Amino acid sequence: MAPTTENVWDAAIAFDKKRKEAQVLHGQAETTLLVIGSKSVGKSTLIHKFLERQEAAKSTLALEYTFGRKTNQSLIKDVSHIWELGGGTLFSKLLETPLAPSKLESVRVVVMVDLADPSQLWFTLESLITAVLSHIQISLKSAKGKEMDLGDKLKALSDPHIDGEHPDIAKVKPFPVPLVILGGKYDEFQNMEPEKKKIICRAMRFFAHYHGATLQFYTSKDSGSVKKARDLLSQLAFGTEPNKGVSQDYNKPLIIPAWSDSFAAIINEDTANMDMMKHHFTTHYPQSVNEGTALPDDPAKDPNFREPEIDQLRSQKDEDLERYRKDIEKRAKQMGDEF
């Protein structure tokens, strides 16, 4: 028998070719999981628990990338690209990377807010949802002119998840991609006075239902809560079976799948709208913006506050941040090519 001339490199190339052919044949699913929310609320810890990583989670400085894989029924590993935005609302400009047109069809968004700090809860939700919508709109505009408009694709993907028979369908504004709102630090929240908890739960339910989102409360200090959160992320990332439980009792952790709530059950006012709910909530909990959270208006752009030396340092930091963003995107692409 003639000796083979195939070396290790040739064998590796042949193996990779067969693997990619199998992915095409059996259909490897890829999703993009975007995790955003309040600063220091436990987003990194949640991701580590979802991926069953043992090492302690570190604080996210800006935008971090990781991934998870799960073997499907065809024995092909489905992939979920996981992006975490740190800094609360401070670095929302970086969302353009995970919300690029090429990723938009597979995006699922998780917004995690701090239940123990209601003074920033509404501001964080409103600011981040607005930022994500803005980047989605930019992606939709840049995708025009292709075979099928990306907006049509998103509509086709989202329509099956929208309950057209729901009595509130004319009063809501469903999010264009699957959306989950997680209330973090439930272990601290549950010790609040009952009336305060009721106000927060009502506002969270209204905000989630208005956007067609799933709402769930979570704490990393309870194994049952961790399992429910992991199951929810698995459903988003890999299409596993969703949790079937529903809990609307404000004395217990809320678990409310999208479209299982109603305005009538939340607040007994037919004329209730988002502005009314915002006014009601912020009257009880005036919203504050502390250090480390983006301001509604950027004072660095105000000509009345110009400081040449500081502005130069700020410009350098912005350039460093942009290089960091591009490096993260490049590494993510390289990892994606390896699957």
Side-chain angles (χ1 to χ4, degrees):
M1 180 182 293
T4 178
T5 58
E6 183 181 56
N7 56 33
V8 174
W9 181 247
D10 292 332
I13 292 176
F15 175 81
D16 185 64
K17 181 179 179 181
K18 290 181 179 179
R19 178 178 63 85
K20 290 183 176 179
E21 288 175 350
Q23 289 174 356
V24 173
L25 178 63
H26 297 289
Q28 180 191 56
E30 290 195 25
T31 59
T32 299
L33 197 61
L34 175 60
V35 183
I36 57 181
S38 303
K39 186 178 181 181
S40 303
V41 74
K43 300 184 295 296
S44 299
T45 299
L46 173 64
I47 293 172
H48 274 235
K49 289 185 179 297
F50 171 55
L51 298 176
E52 298 184 325
R53 292 180 177 173
Q54 301 303 318
E55 69 271 19
K58 298 179 181 179
S59 297
T60 302
L61 298 178
L63 185 67
E64 294 287 346
Y65 170 81
T66 187
F67 64 91
R69 290 185 288 185
K70 183 179 179 64
T71 303
N72 62 28
Q73 293 180 346
S74 300
L75 302 181
I76 300 296
K77 288 185 179 294
D78 293 334
V79 180
S80 182
H81 305 280
I82 304 172
W83 296 86
E84 180 194 351
L85 184 71
T89 60
L90 186 59
F91 300 116
S92 57
K93 182 180 178 182
L94 297 177
L95 290 172
E96 63 182 287
T97 297
L99 294 175
S102 60
K103 303 180 179 74
L104 210 52
E105 290 179 67
S106 66
V107 166
R108 289 92 172 91
V109 177
V110 177
V111 184
M112 191 173 178
V113 292
D114 190 345
L115 293 173
D117 187 9
S119 67
Q120 294 190 56
L121 192 151
W122 192 279
F123 171 79
T124 301
L125 276 175
E126 189 176 57
S127 298
L128 289 174
I129 289 296
T130 300
V132 172
L133 282 173
S134 175
H135 283 289
I136 288 177
Q137 289 299 324
I138 292 172
S139 288
L140 291 175
K141 288 180 181 178
S142 65
K144 284 185 176 180
K146 299 190 176 180
E147 290 184 11
M148 181 180 183
D149 186 82
L150 187 53
D152 294 333
K153 287 186 178 181
L154 288 179
K155 187 175 185 303
L157 289 170
S158 63
D159 278 352
H161 302 290
I162 296 176
D163 184 356
E165 301 299 321
H166 197 286
D168 296 332
I169 193 64
K171 303 176 184 178
V172 299
K173 189 176 181 181
F175 209 65
V177 298
L179 175 66
V180 166
I181 298 176
L182 276 182
K185 296 188 179 179
Y186 178 76
D187 54 300
E188 298 180 32
F189 169 81
Q190 66 181 342
N191 296 322
M192 288 184 179
E193 297 176 7
E195 188 59 30
K196 291 183 177 180
K197 291 196 294 185
K198 188 174 183 179
I199 293 170
I200 294 171
C201 287
R202 181 182 294 165
M204 294 279 285
R205 286 175 63 185
F206 193 100
F207 196 98
H209 182 55
Y210 180 82
H211 290 98
T214 291
L215 174 64
Q216 189 163 308
F217 284 2
Y218 159 81
T219 172
S220 61
K221 298 181 180 180
D222 177 75
S223 58
S225 179
V226 170
K227 183 182 184 305
K228 287 182 174 65
R230 287 182 57 199
D231 290 344
L232 180 58
L233 294 188
S234 180
Q235 176 196 349
L236 292 172
F238 302 114
T240 56
E241 287 295 316
N243 288 321
K244 296 182 179 180
V246 177
S247 173
Q248 298 180 346
D249 185 349
Y250 67 88
N251 289 309
K252 299 178 182 179
L254 296 185
I255 302 176
I256 307 177
W259 303 109
S260 64
D261 213 342
S262 69
F263 291 135
I266 298 169
I267 184 169
N268 294 319
E269 292 187 36
D270 292 336
T271 59
N273 54 46
M274 185 63 79
D275 290 337
M276 184 183 296
M277 180 54 67
K278 177 181 179 179
H279 175 74
H280 176 76
F281 182 79
T282 56
T283 298
H284 288 86
Y285 296 105
Q287 299 298 282
S288 63
V289 182
N290 61 20
E291 185 178 355
T293 305
L295 296 171
D297 297 309
D298 189 353
K301 298 179 181 179
D302 191 327
N304 295 317
F305 297 103
R306 284 178 179 169
E307 293 286 348
E309 293 182 1
I310 295 176
D311 291 343
Q312 185 176 358
L313 289 173
R314 168 66 183 269
S315 178
Q316 180 63 47
K317 290 296 183 183
D318 286 343
E319 292 176 3
D320 291 343
L321 185 61
E322 180 63 17
R323 281 196 294 271
Y324 176 81
R325 182 188 68 78
K326 290 181 178 179
D327 182 57
I328 286 290
E329 187 174 16
K330 182 179 179 181
R331 280 190 286 157
K333 185 178 185 302
Q334 290 173 341
M335 287 183 178
D337 290 341
E338 293 175 1
F339 298 132

